[in-house]
Amino acid sequence: ARKWDYLIWMDWEFRCYEWNNSDALLNQRVCRIIKYHESISPKFLFYWINKYLKEIEDITPFVTVKHISSRQIKDIKFPLPTLSTQSHIVARLDSAFASIDEQISLFRANIVDVENMRKSVLEESFQSGEYEKVYLGNKEFIEIIDGDRWANYPKKTEFTESGFCLFLNTSNVRQWFFDFSKMDFITEEKYNKMGKWKVYKNDVILTTRWTIGNSAFVEDNFPYDYIRINSGMVILRNNLQKVSPKYIIHFINSPLFESQKQTFVSGSAQPQLPITVIKQIYIPLPPLPRQHEIVTHLDRVFAGTEALRTEYEAQIRDLERLRQSLLEEAFAGRLVQDNEV
């Protein structure tokens, strides 16, 4: 690709990009538009493609990976007003989108500020020199239960969309919370045959493969009674007389945990955090009443920052909808008046 080329990403999610960087090589998932008839404004075509990406996606056959071929792209028809009208439409969209992009950039910068604020508060809360250092492998405080594969580990064919026992996979564990949008279940018989890694209330679940370091804990209102974990995570079972599960969750999201994790993370193709390494990670652990105070403070701070983040993300979504609305106006002939052409 060369500067100011227009590129169409043809797999997974269809996108059209204006390439304004230095020269680059393209892989097989991208096609480059390089020739235009003199009656076509390249930027007009670029905007039209971005307006009709959903329609373009609908003409592709249903397969595991969405794909559109260059032949299919060549057969797509698009409206072609006069070059003068195209230029006016492009000018209007350029001006409007420049303002939209500027506002989106400001909101994204605000989101970064919110994240930095959260990290700063977490860093302050987990000063490594202030409290006793306790290693996660110290069973007096925290027991680590591995989700490794054993003889009775479920096969893919044994999973169902509903059933007796929820079988957690790494996609279910996000930062701070569980995501139940896609779940696997196993039967009661399979549940009883499996080994020691049952999940109980107040357990903390930590992902150790693929996406490393996501964590959530099983609160009293967790909607499932029988839970197992897969081989991409571990259970951190806390001594509740000495350790607050919520304190552990906040620690796992802190810069102190992240710096230790990065020191130990292994594997390039499939990064992982083995249980032997987790045991070498330490946590500053104050007395339990102080842990509760820290958790209360962090919960209050994060409630405020999450509200800000949610508002900024909503503003970005509104601006993206405005962008799409302007594209619809443009190609419905309502953006440029006849006397402007």
Side-chain angles (χ1 to χ4, degrees):
R2 297 183 180 277
K3 195 167 185 178
W4 309 122
D5 275 347
Y6 293 94
L7 310 177
I8 299 177
W9 190 268
M10 303 178 347
D11 277 359
W12 301 97
E13 283 189 280
F14 302 137
R15 291 288 185 269
C16 186
Y17 299 98
E18 184 178 45
W19 184 257
N20 55 13
N21 297 306
S22 56
D23 292 358
L25 298 176
L26 305 179
N27 71 13
Q28 70 272 20
R29 294 186 176 93
V30 181
C31 72
R32 171 185 170 209
I33 304 175
I34 58 176
K35 292 183 180 180
Y36 305 93
H37 190 271
E38 60 184 13
S39 63
I40 299 174
S41 161
K43 193 68 174 284
F44 174 84
L45 181 59
F46 164 75
Y47 280 138
W48 182 84
I49 291 174
N50 276 285
K51 163 63 182 77
Y52 285 96
L53 282 173
K54 182 63 173 69
E55 285 81 351
I56 292 172
E57 184 174 337
D58 288 343
I59 70 172
T60 62
F62 180 79
V63 290
T64 304
V65 177
K66 295 177 181 178
H67 174 78
I68 186 171
S69 67
S70 56
R71 175 175 293 181
Q72 288 172 304
I73 293 173
K74 289 177 183 178
D75 290 338
I76 294 172
K77 297 179 180 180
F78 65 96
L80 191 62
T82 66
L83 194 57
S84 175
T85 300
Q86 294 177 53
S87 298
H88 278 81
I89 290 173
V90 167
R92 283 291 187 88
L93 291 176
D94 280 348
S95 176
F97 289 177
S99 176
I100 289 173
D101 289 339
E102 182 179 359
Q103 294 177 70
I104 287 176
S105 294
L106 289 173
F107 285 124
R108 285 179 175 159
N110 288 340
I111 290 174
V112 171
D113 289 342
V114 167
E115 287 301 311
N116 289 337
M117 185 190 307
R118 290 162 68 114
K119 288 179 183 177
S120 176
V121 173
L122 283 167
E123 187 171 19
E124 186 178 307
S125 300
F126 294 98
Q127 295 291 338
S128 60
E130 189 173 351
Y131 304 116
E132 176 187 2
K133 290 183 180 180
V134 172
Y135 287 89
L136 296 183
N138 187 335
K139 291 186 177 181
E140 179 185 348
F141 297 89
I142 303 168
E143 180 184 5
I144 305 175
I145 302 170
D146 200 351
D148 240 338
R149 291 176 179 269
W150 300 98
N152 289 308
Y153 193 88
K155 301 180 178 63
K156 285 185 177 181
T157 54
E158 295 177 303
F159 292 130
T160 56
E161 293 183 358
S162 61
F164 176 79
C165 170
L166 173 64
F167 193 85
L168 288 173
N169 59 66
T170 51
S171 69
N172 296 135
V173 185
R174 306 295 187 184
Q175 283 186 312
W176 311 96
F177 68 96
F178 290 103
D179 179 357
F180 297 127
S181 56
K182 186 180 185 304
M183 297 182 288
D184 293 323
F185 291 86
I186 55 175
T187 63
E188 182 176 4
E189 179 184 6
K190 191 67 182 179
Y191 170 84
N192 290 327
K193 285 182 178 179
M194 294 180 69
K196 61 181 180 179
W197 57 101
K198 297 178 182 178
V199 178
Y200 298 111
K201 298 294 173 65
N202 292 307
D203 281 347
V204 172
I205 309 300
L206 171 66
T207 59
T208 58
R209 295 181 188 168
W210 301 289
T211 302
I212 299 174
N214 281 352
S215 61
F217 87 99
V218 183
E219 301 183 66
D220 289 337
N221 61 353
F222 195 82
Y224 301 96
D225 293 323
Y226 300 96
I227 315 153
R228 295 282 193 174
I229 62 172
N230 77 359
S231 58
M233 59 189 75
V234 297
I235 300 167
L236 302 180
R237 184 160 295 153
N238 308 286
N239 178 345
L240 298 179
Q241 303 303 312
K242 297 183 178 182
V243 183
S244 160
K246 198 86 178 274
Y247 183 82
I248 295 293
I249 290 291
H250 282 303
F251 167 70
I252 290 171
N253 286 280
S254 74
L256 180 57
F257 177 86
E258 180 65 22
S259 63
Q260 294 184 78
K261 182 189 80 174
Q262 290 302 326
T263 300
F264 294 121
V265 164
S266 62
S268 53
Q270 182 180 301
Q272 55 186 311
L273 194 64
I275 194 169
T276 53
V277 165
I278 298 173
K279 290 179 179 180
Q280 300 178 59
I281 294 176
Y282 70 85
I283 175 173
L285 197 68
L288 190 60
R290 179 57 181 155
Q291 293 178 43
H292 291 320
E293 290 176 4
I294 292 172
V295 166
T296 299
H297 170 66
L298 290 174
D299 283 350
R300 185 167 53 247
V301 170
F302 288 174
T305 57
E306 188 59 29
L308 285 173
R309 182 188 179 94
T310 299
E311 175 61 24
Y312 295 145
E313 289 176 341
Q315 295 284 359
I316 290 173
R317 288 193 297 272
D318 287 344
L319 288 166
E320 292 292 0
R321 282 193 287 267
L322 175 59
R323 189 198 304 275
Q324 192 66 18
S325 176
L326 288 170
L327 286 170
E328 291 173 1
E329 292 288 305
F331 295 106
R334 294 190 292 267
L335 196 63
V336 176
Q337 303 299 322
D338 291 340
N339 59 7
E340 294 182 284
V341 181

